[in-house]
Amino acid sequence: MGVEQKLGNMGVVTTRLEDLVNWGRTNSMWPMLFGLACCAIEMMSMQAAHYDASRFGMELMRPSPRQSDVMIVAGRVSRKMAPVLRRLYDQMSEPKWVISMGDCASCGGVFNNYAIVQGVDEIVPVDVYVAGCPPRPEALIDGIMTLHEKVRGEGMKDWA
Amino acid sequence: MARGVGIEEPGSDKVKELTVEELRAKYGSGLAVQSEENMLLSMGPQHPSTHGVLRLLLELDGESVVNLAPDIGFLHTGIEKNMESKTYTKALVMTDRMDYLAPLSNNLGYIMAVEKLLGVEAPPRAQVLRVILTELTRIASHLVWLGTSALDVAAMTVFLYCFREREYLLDIFEMCAGQRMMASYFRPGGLWRDVPEDFEPAVRRFLDFFPERILEYEALLKENPIFLRRTKDIGVISAEDAVAWGMTGPGLRATGVNWDIRKAHPYLTYDRYDFDVPLGENGDVYDRYRCRVREMSQSVRIVQQAMDSLPYGPVLTDNRKIAPPPRSELGRSMEAVIHHFKLWTEGFSAPEGYVYQRIESPKGEFGCYLRGNGTANPARVHFRTPSYVNLASLPNLARGLMVADLVAIIGSIDIVLGEIDR
Amino acid sequence: MSDVTTGELFYQKVNQAFPGAIDRAVEFRGEHTLVIRQASLKDVCLLLRDNEELACNLLEDIVADDMLPEFPRFAVNYHIYSIPKNHYIRIRVPVEDPDDGPETLAAVWPIASWLEIEVWDLMGITFKGNDQLRRLFLPEDWQGHPLRKDYPLGYEEVQFSFNWQAIDAKKPYAKD
C-alpha cells in the first residue's frame, strides 16, 4: 500500500488505520462455497440455524471466487480436482485467506493413497488448519476465530 | 466450431477451443454433439447446486438442454483399493466417507457383507438397534436432501428447518458412537458398544415431535404454486426406462415400480415391522419429492415399533474369533487375552469366497461385493452405490428441458458425489 | 435369499439353451453363481432378460476382480436381478486377457455401458463394442489401472518425529 511509503510510519494514525481496515476485513469475511465432501455438510451445519455463522459476519457463501474473501477447503482434494482448486484460488481477489478444514484437506486424512492430495498446502498456501474428521461446527468456528485474530494482527506491510 | 468448451494448453494461460471431432474423441459418443450451432457449457465442478463436485457438460440450444454428459471423478478417493491394505475392521472406517449423508447405512452394507462371508450373525438386540439407527440415518439423509433440493428451488426456510431437526439426530448418533456423522458404530458381529441410558428417552422425544415437523415442511411446499410449477411434469422417466437404466430407490418407486429391498428380501428384523412403501405415479420430480417425504414418516413408524420391541441381551456375538472379549474378562481368562491379542495384532481372517450383500440405503440399492482370500485383509471390495447408477439416467431425465429445470432434477435424483466417485 | 430351487432354475434354463456355456455353478453362503464362458455371455444375458420365468430386468452391478496369482487372472461379475420374480443370480466370466474382454451388454441393459466405463477405468478390462470407454474417475492423462494388484497403493510415508525434517524437505509446499 502506498500510504506507508509516502507518509512513513506515522505512529498512531497508521495504527488506527490498520485497526479500522482489519476490523472491516474480519467482520464481513465471506467464505467461498468450496465444500467438496463430508466436511461440507458440517460447514452447512455451521451456516444453518443452530451454529449460526452469520453472527460472525459470514452471512452468505458466495460461489463466485471474485466475490469471496476466504476459501474454506472442506473435504478431500483428489488429483483431478487439484488444478481446479488452484485455478479458483488464483481467481480470488486479494485479500484472500485459506482455511483448510478437516483432516483430508490438512494432511490427507484417512486416505493415504494414489488418488488424494496429501494436504491441500501442496497446492495453495494455508492460513489456518482445522483438525477433525469432520470437525464439529464449533471447531470450525474456532478456526474462523483464529483466522480473525490473525487478520487483526496484520500490519500495513502485510497488506496486498 | 462448437463454442464454449476448451482445454488449457499445458504451461500457458491460453484456452484452446476444441472442435466437435476433438470433443467427440475426448468424451466418446456419450456427448455426441448434435449440431454445430449449439453452445457447450461446462457446469461445475464448483457450482452452488450440483450437490458436490459434479461436472456436467451441457449442450445447449439457447436455454434448453439438448444433451448432457456427466464428468465425475473429482472426488475419487481410491477407497476400494485402500481397503485392500487394511484389515476388515479397520476398513470399516473408510466406508463412512462414501455416502456421507447416511454413513451408518454404508456401515451396515459393509458389515453385513463381512458377516455373510464369515458366517456369523449379530445377536437380536444388536439387530434391532441396527434397524433403529439405520432408519434414523434414513431420516437424516432425507432431511439433508430436502433442505438442499428445496434450496435449489429457492425455498431457503426449509433448509434451515431441516438442519435444525438434523442436529437432534446427530446428537443421538454422538451419544451412541461418539461421533456426529462418521459413526462407524457397527462391527462384524454386532455393535461397538451398547447404547447409553439416555438413548431411549432421546429417541422417544424425537419420535414425538418429528411427525409434526414433516407436516410443517409439507405445508411450505406441497401446495405452493411455485414449487408445483417447478416440479410437476419435470424430469419424467417411465418405469421401463428407469429399470433398464438401473435406477433404484425412491426414484424407481416414484415411477410406480414397487420394489423395496426391505420388503423383497428382508434383512435384519424388517420383516417383523409393519410399514408401507410409498409409490408414485408419474415419475416426475414432484413424485420423487413425495416418495421421500412419505418415506420419512414410514421410518418414524419403523423406529416406533422397533423401540417398543427392543430385546435385552448382548450386543456383540460370542464368537471370540471375530469379536473381542469384554475388558472385564481379560483379567480372568487366558483365552480371552489370547483372542484379544490375535484380534488386535492380526485381525480375524475370512474364508475364500465372494459374497454380495444388498441393502436399501436412503438413495437406492446399496450393494457390497466382498471377496476374501483367507487372510485378514479383504481381497476385493466393491460398492454398488445407488448414486453412481442413478446418475446415468440424468441425460434421459433432462433432455429438452431448461437449465433451471436441470437444477431441480439434479436435486431430485439425490446424488452424493462421495458415493459416486468412491 | 435365493433358495436352492432358484439356483437350479437358472442352471437348467441356461444349460438347456446353451449347453456348453456354463463352466460350473457355485453356491456359497446361500448365493448362486454361474461361471460362464466369455464367448457366450451376451446370449446368456439375452436369455435371462427375455425368458418369462427368469425375467431378469435389472442389471445391478458389474464388478471386476483381479486374482493375481491365479489363472485366469481377471473375472467380471454381473449381478442380475429380477424385479417381478424377486430372485437374483450372479454371472461370473473369467477373463484371461484384459484387452480382449467380454462383449458389451449395452444392447441388453443400457446401464451396462455406464458400468463398464468404471471397470475399464479402474481395472483395465476392455469391453468389445463399447465406444465410451474413457477415463472417468481419474484425470485424463493417468497411466495405469489402479485397482489391479500389481499397481502400488501410492501412499506417502508417515512423518514421525525422527524423520520429520527429511520428509518435510521433500514435500512440495505451495509458495504463494
Side-chain angles (χ1 to χ4, degrees):
Chain A
M1 246 178 116
V3 177
E4 197 181 50
Q5 287 151 2
K6 287 216 160 63
L7 306 172
N9 189 352
M10 281 175 52
V12 75
V13 174
T14 47
T15 319
R16 283 279 168 263
L17 186 61
E18 280 170 9
D19 281 347
L20 179 67
V21 172
N22 288 341
W23 172 83
R25 283 178 176 177
T26 54
N27 282 15
S28 78
M29 204 184 260
W30 288 355
M32 186 166 88
L33 199 75
F34 208 74
L36 297 166
C38 352
C39 284
I41 310 296
E42 291 291 40
M43 192 165 68
M44 283 176 358
S45 291
M46 180 194 75
Q47 196 76 29
H50 204 204
Y51 306 96
D52 193 10
S54 310
R55 50 194 166 133
F56 304 111
M58 300 195 159
E59 171 65 36
L60 24 73
M61 308 183 102
R62 287 290 184 202
S64 161
R66 296 280 191 214
Q67 298 169 7
S68 48
D69 300 311
V70 63
M71 179 159 84
I72 305 183
V73 183
R76 45 194 190 253
V77 181
S78 74
R79 298 252 170 233
K80 195 169 176 184
M81 189 67 187
V84 178
L85 175 67
R86 181 71 212 186
R87 192 189 304 178
L88 285 167
Y89 178 76
D90 290 335
Q91 283 176 354
M92 280 170 80
S93 43
E94 297 281 346
K96 57 189 174 188
W97 299 278
V98 175
I99 295 183
S100 152
M101 174 186 179
D103 287 341
C104 293
S106 308
C107 65
V110 200
F111 307 108
N112 193 355
N113 57 23
Y114 64 91
I116 292 289
V117 174
Q118 303 293 310
V120 84
D121 47 13
E122 289 185 11
I123 304 173
V124 295
V126 174
D127 293 301
V128 174
Y129 300 85
V130 182
C133 190
R136 285 187 67 108
E138 290 118 326
L140 180 60
I141 293 179
D142 182 49
I144 293 174
M145 293 294 104
T146 315
L147 182 64
H148 285 187
E149 271 174 38
K150 179 178 178 187
V151 173
R152 264 190 227 115
E154 277 180 2
M156 262 194 332
K157 54 185 179 334
D158 299 319
W159 292 347
Chain B
M1 186 154 94
R3 299 166 8 236
V5 172
I7 53 171
E8 268 185 2
E9 306 265 337
S12 87
D13 264 337
K14 289 210 308 281
V15 171
K16 179 175 90 109
E17 286 198 1
L18 299 174
T19 60
V20 171
E21 284 73 33
E22 286 168 326
L23 273 168
R24 210 171 268 148
K26 207 162 138 82
Y27 293 106
S29 64
L31 184 72
V33 178
Q34 312 278 14
S35 142
E36 305 255 337
E37 301 277 318
N38 295 337
M39 180 167 85
L40 280 158
L41 189 66
S42 161
M43 181 171 160
Q46 197 252 359
H47 193 274
S49 63
T50 48
H51 295 267
V53 279
L54 171 68
R55 178 167 176 240
L56 293 173
L57 290 151
L58 307 172
E59 186 189 342
L60 298 174
D61 176 22
E63 180 82 15
S64 54
V65 174
V66 174
N67 198 4
L68 67 87
D71 185 20
I72 57 180
F74 292 96
L75 205 56
H76 178 63
T77 320
I79 287 184
E80 297 180 355
K81 182 147 184 100
N82 213 343
M83 283 170 90
E84 290 172 14
S85 51
K86 296 186 187 275
T87 64
Y88 286 94
T89 315
K90 287 185 190 171
L92 166 70
V93 163
M94 307 195 115
T95 60
D96 282 312
R97 273 96 186 148
M98 284 193 306
D99 175 6
Y100 37 81
L101 299 178
L104 282 169
S105 172
N106 303 356
N107 286 351
L108 184 68
Y110 173 70
I111 287 293
M112 285 182 71
V114 173
E115 286 179 352
K116 198 177 203 181
L117 182 64
L118 295 170
V120 302
E121 219 184 67
R125 182 175 168 88
Q127 291 194 7
V128 178
L129 281 171
R130 280 181 182 177
V131 167
I132 295 174
L133 287 167
T134 310
E135 290 304 315
L136 290 177
T137 310
R138 189 183 311 270
I139 298 178
S141 167
H142 283 331
L143 281 172
V144 177
W145 160 79
L146 184 59
T148 49
S149 63
L151 190 63
D152 286 343
V153 194
M156 178 137 189
T157 322
V158 184
F159 174 77
L160 294 172
Y161 281 174
C162 289
F163 272 77
R164 173 189 65 183
E165 258 58 272
R166 195 158 176 268
E167 290 298 324
Y168 204 81
L169 282 171
L170 293 177
D171 279 344
I172 295 181
F173 295 145
E174 191 181 13
M175 184 193 308
C176 300
Q179 241 276 23
R180 279 156 57 101
M181 276 167 61
M182 313 297 170
S184 300
Y185 188 48
F186 304 146
R187 294 281 184 273
L191 307 175
W192 171 47
R193 64 173 191 188
D194 206 347
V195 290
E197 296 155 351
D198 299 333
F199 177 74
E200 177 161 353
V203 174
R204 295 231 186 252
R205 207 156 87 231
F206 177 76
L207 296 175
D208 278 336
F209 72 71
F210 190 63
E212 306 156 352
R213 301 291 170 89
I214 302 184
L215 294 175
E216 254 180 49
Y217 313 144
E218 297 233 283
L220 281 171
L221 291 176
K222 194 166 71 162
E223 311 271 318
N224 189 339
I226 302 179
F227 187 72
L228 289 174
R229 273 295 288 275
R230 284 207 71 171
T231 56
K232 272 255 186 227
D233 291 327
I234 303 285
V236 181
I237 191 168
S238 67
E240 295 82 33
D241 272 344
V243 174
W245 282 92
M247 193 182 239
T248 51
L252 179 65
R253 293 197 277 276
T255 65
V257 178
N258 187 354
W259 185 53
D260 185 333
I261 302 179
R262 296 174 292 172
K263 292 278 199 194
H265 298 277
Y267 50 96
L268 296 178
T269 53
Y270 278 108
D271 43 359
R272 294 190 221 154
Y273 308 128
D274 178 34
F275 62 100
D276 302 320
V277 173
L279 296 175
E281 289 162 359
N282 302 339
D284 57 4
V285 172
Y286 186 71
D287 274 346
R288 290 193 275 275
Y289 153 79
R290 291 282 295 144
C291 275
R292 287 199 182 96
V293 172
R294 283 183 292 166
E295 257 183 33
M296 282 203 274
S297 327
Q298 298 303 318
S299 291
V300 169
R301 266 176 86 181
I302 299 177
V303 177
Q304 188 80 49
Q305 292 168 56
M307 287 296 292
D308 290 336
S309 67
L310 185 60
Y312 288 105
V315 289
L316 204 52
T317 180
D318 281 337
N319 188 342
R320 289 285 164 250
K321 302 271 183 276
I322 312 289
R327 293 203 70 99
S328 50
E329 255 185 54
L330 293 181
R332 295 196 298 256
S333 148
M334 193 59 204
E335 286 77 23
V337 174
I338 298 176
H339 282 134
H340 179 106
F341 178 77
K342 290 287 282 183
L343 283 171
W344 255 248
T345 53
E346 261 179 32
F348 52 81
S349 359
E352 289 199 29
Y354 37 86
V355 296
Y356 181 79
Q357 171 70 41
R358 50 175 70 73
I359 65 164
E360 180 80 22
S361 90
K363 306 197 157 49
E365 175 198 338
F366 179 86
C368 178
Y369 170 87
L370 190 62
R371 179 168 73 90
N373 61 356
T375 64
N377 303 345
R380 170 89 169 103
V381 189
H382 175 80
F383 295 100
R384 186 265 185 210
T385 48
S387 303
Y388 179 64
V389 184
N390 288 354
L391 187 66
S393 320
L394 189 59
N396 292 350
L397 288 169
R399 220 166 258 139
L401 298 173
M402 294 191 280
V403 177
D405 297 325
L406 175 66
V407 168
I409 293 171
I410 298 176
S412 79
I413 56 174
D414 199 6
I415 50 176
V416 171
L417 263 296
E419 203 177 41
I420 294 181
D421 289 339
R422 278 167 260 132
Chain C
M1 259 68 70
S2 349
D3 44 62
V4 178
T5 49
T6 314
E8 279 179 6
L9 172 71
F10 275 100
Y11 184 82
Q12 278 162 13
K13 292 278 175 204
V14 176
N15 213 9
Q16 250 170 19
F18 305 104
I22 303 187
D23 243 347
R24 62 184 186 281
V26 180
E27 198 221 313
F28 179 67
R29 302 277 189 247
E31 296 183 352
H32 299 271
T33 309
L34 292 176
V35 183
I36 298 220
R37 269 180 248 290
Q38 186 174 315
S40 21
L41 171 70
K42 187 158 177 193
D43 298 322
V44 171
C45 290
L46 278 168
L47 170 74
L48 290 178
R49 186 190 68 171
D50 297 328
N51 183 303
E52 287 95 32
E53 283 179 32
L54 302 179
C56 295
N57 53 358
L58 179 67
L59 175 64
E60 285 174 325
D61 202 11
I62 301 182
V63 187
D65 216 341
D66 180 359
M67 293 159 304
L68 184 54
E70 294 176 22
F71 182 81
R73 180 180 168 185
F74 295 99
V76 183
N77 299 292
Y78 295 85
H79 292 98
I80 302 171
Y81 192 92
S82 162
I83 295 184
K85 306 284 181 190
N86 264 340
H87 57 214
Y88 52 88
I89 190 76
R90 179 192 294 121
I91 305 281
R92 192 175 168 98
V93 177
V95 172
E96 294 163 19
D97 180 16
D99 298 321
D100 178 34
E103 212 178 318
T104 180
L105 294 183
V108 186
W109 296 289
I111 187 63
S113 58
W114 182 247
L115 293 170
E116 286 164 1
I117 304 178
E118 182 198 347
V119 173
W120 181 82
D121 190 9
L122 294 176
M123 195 68 98
I125 299 179
T126 311
F127 290 86
K128 293 196 271 277
N130 191 341
D131 57 351
Q132 293 187 37
L133 296 179
R134 61 184 194 271
R135 286 288 180 194
L136 193 64
F137 290 97
L138 299 164
E140 271 136 24
D141 47 359
W142 196 275
Q143 305 293 329
H145 299 279
L147 275 178
R148 292 190 178 177
K149 296 286 185 195
D150 48 2
Y151 192 94
L153 183 58
Y155 60 84
E156 185 191 63
E157 215 180 315
V158 184
Q159 282 175 306
F160 294 103
S161 42
F162 60 86
N163 59 2
W164 187 274
Q165 298 299 332
I167 297 183
D168 214 35
K170 285 188 295 192
K171 228 168 128 61
Y173 285 115
K175 293 299 182 299
D176 59 68

